Amino acid sequence: MISAVIFDIDGTLVDTVDMHAEAWQRAFRAYGKELDWATVRMQIGKGGDQLMPIFLSPAELAAFGEALDQRRSAIFKHEYLPRARAFPQVRALVERLKGDGIQIALASSASQEELAYYMQLTRLTDLLDGATSADDAAVSKPAPDIFAAALVQLGHPAPQTTVVIGDSPYDAMAATPLGLRTIGLLCGGFPAQALQDAGCIALYHDHADLLAQYDTWVRM
């Protein structure tokens, strides 16, 4: 039986993927880079350190990468974050896991400020055994740093009994080097095939689906 679950946040616990894509698109536009929204959206799940090099040359990164990232952060914080909503049944799922003695951690590329906001929004603060943000990782997903930090906070649970739940391919890519299995959620809007190709061992639609099929995956 699973002993620990590490949840991604954006697109997994809160419905924010489209918002992040719009914020990035607007920030890039401010620096003369007009990008297709769908193309940007497929990169959400990475931190800025991993996302910006997809669209900027090394010279552009050096010239205005940091300023662009700060602009994106300000746009998201002031215009999108207040509109963020938790997916239904998030707390009910975590309560059931905790009732079975399973440890819970959050692991996100979000800032510490965003992480604190999301913890309140999802009403999970009293149920968590750990929570990591961008401050806890030298490199963001798909590098494994953020999940490695979560494992430390959980007291190094056995990888074979620890599961990551995320919505993007980058969650599975980050989990695999640590020997962690990943369950993919489709509520974040990423294609099922992309999640499977990245290494997700099972796919579920949302938290209600995880609750409905609870014994199937929690004992896998």
Side-chain angles (χ1 to χ4, degrees), residues 4 12 16 20 27-28 30 47 70 79 94 97 120 130 174 176-177 180 191 201-202 212:
T12 300
T16 52
H20 278 293
F28 277 112
Q70 290 175 350
E79 300 187 39
V94 176
L97 290 166
Q120 292 185 353
T176 298
L180 304 176
I201 61 169

Side-chain angles (χ1 to χ4, degrees), residues 144-161:
D145 300 33
I146 199 71
F147 290 144
L151 289 172
V152 171
Q153 290 192 5
L154 292 175
H156 301 284
Q160 61 267 29
T161 60

Side-chain angles (χ1 to χ4, degrees), residues 43-55:
Q43 299 298 320
I44 303 303
K46 298 178 178 179
D49 62 316
Q50 300 273 25
L51 185 150
M52 288 191 295
I54 301 296
F55 303 109

Side-chain angles (χ1 to χ4, degrees), residues 16 33 38 62-63 67 77 80 97 99 104 138 183 192 194 208 213:
T16 52
K33 307 289 287 189
K77 176 183 175 181
Y80 292 99
L97 290 166
I104 305 295
I183 290 173
Q213 303 188 61

Side-chain angles (χ1 to χ4, degrees), residues 10-12 15 17-18 41 87 167-168 185-190 205:
D10 286 293
T12 300
D15 189 5
V17 176
D18 288 355
R41 192 190 193 284
F87 287 113
D167 72 297
S168 80
L185 291 185
L186 298 174
C187 55
F190 285 87
H205 182 69

Side-chain angles (χ1 to χ4, degrees), residues 58-114:
E60 289 171 329
L61 278 170
F64 56 81
E66 184 177 352
L68 190 155
D69 194 14
Q70 290 175 350
R71 187 181 187 95
R72 187 279 317 167
S73 180
I75 291 171
F76 184 78
K77 176 183 175 181
H78 295 295
E79 300 187 39
Y80 292 99
L81 190 60
R83 294 159 40 193
R85 296 292 180 268
F87 287 113
Q89 301 295 305
V90 166
R91 183 173 172 91
L93 174 62
V94 176
E95 283 180 330
R96 179 151 187 195
L97 290 166
K98 291 295 291 184
D100 283 335
I102 296 171
Q103 289 186 295
I104 305 295
L106 307 184
S108 172
S109 297
S111 67
Q112 184 63 43
E113 183 180 5
E114 289 173 12

